[in-house]
Amino acid sequence: MTHIDKNYAPIIIGDYINHQEIHIDKQLNITNGRPAGAETDGGKETDGGREARGETERAEKSPVAHMGKRVERVFRAAEERGLLSRAGDGYVWHENDTLLDYFLGRTLCGDYPFGDDKPCWRFAKEKRNMPAKEMNRLFGRDRIGEIRRRRNMLPVPQGHERIDEIVDGNP
């Protein structure tokens, strides 16, 4: 049995807690206790100087607007249903990583569920690649797309129905 100095344990725990706080802040895109891009102006928060430039409407231009109207519509619907939310110029996903890869695969790559009783996760015939680098930046993560690569022809994740409704355009 090894001996650990009694003064060493609080340092390890403190470092671990600090690391977890930084990780959570990165996922929420928080800088200095405020959402990224938010600045204070004499106690009043402004939106990173956008008001001065006349860009007060953040909702006009979503972070995925350059990907097309369909993708923008799907992201907006997912936001309305609570699957994701905006954080600065990115998003925070509120479900598990498998559902995130499934959502992005359906939205960006043409993936689809195949079968009635036990549907399988199928890739589109064109086998479009996930824009992983951009999605990792957008969601503040570093492994988007890995689960998707492993799950081709395996059962779709639990909870896929909500994503299927959004992507297929059903209310």
Side-chain angles (χ1 to χ4, degrees):
M1 182 172 186
T2 60
H3 172 71
I4 297 177
D5 186 9
K6 67 180 178 180
N7 293 327
Y8 188 65
I11 294 171
I12 295 173
I13 293 171
D15 287 346
Y16 176 77
I17 291 170
N18 187 35
H19 173 75
Q20 291 301 318
E21 288 173 348
I22 291 170
H23 177 73
I24 291 168
D25 286 351
K26 281 182 182 177
Q27 284 196 330
L28 296 175
N29 289 331
I30 294 176
T31 327
N32 296 326
R34 291 186 306 276
E39 299 173 359
T40 58
D41 184 20
K44 175 184 155 192
E45 283 200 12
T46 63
D47 195 13
R50 290 186 181 138
E51 290 177 34
R53 294 190 309 260
E55 300 176 21
T56 55
E57 288 297 319
R58 188 179 86 170
E60 284 182 22
K61 180 118 171 138
S62 79
V64 292
H66 67 283
M67 294 181 168
K69 291 184 181 194
R70 181 188 161 278
V71 172
E72 192 173 12
R73 177 196 59 81
V74 169
F75 270 72
R76 194 176 329 108
E79 188 173 2
E80 289 169 1
R81 295 194 183 169
L83 291 173
L84 56 87
S85 59
R86 272 203 197 163
D89 43 340
Y91 290 99
V92 175
W93 182 253
H94 300 295
E95 298 293 330
N96 63 45
D97 291 345
T98 305
L99 280 175
L100 175 59
D101 272 17
Y102 183 73
F103 170 75
L104 294 173
R106 292 273 344 250
T107 304
L108 304 172
C109 305
D111 296 357
Y112 61 97
F114 178 76
D116 292 330
D117 295 339
K118 294 181 180 179
C120 293
W121 186 344
R122 299 273 312 254
F123 292 176
K125 291 184 186 344
E126 306 89 47
K127 295 187 180 181
R128 289 182 250 163
N129 290 327
M130 171 91 61
K133 189 179 284 188
E134 185 174 0
M135 292 299 110
N136 281 323
R137 182 199 57 76
L138 201 62
F139 285 93
R141 301 195 180 210
D142 60 356
R143 294 182 180 210
I144 288 178
E146 287 182 12
I147 295 171
R148 176 180 179 261
R149 286 190 295 274
R150 292 192 310 255
R151 295 282 302 246
N152 187 28
M153 294 302 295
L154 292 176
V156 294
Q158 284 187 323
H160 71 95
E161 297 87 358
R162 296 184 318 173
I163 294 169
D164 294 339
E165 287 174 358
I166 293 169
V167 173
D168 295 335
N170 300 331

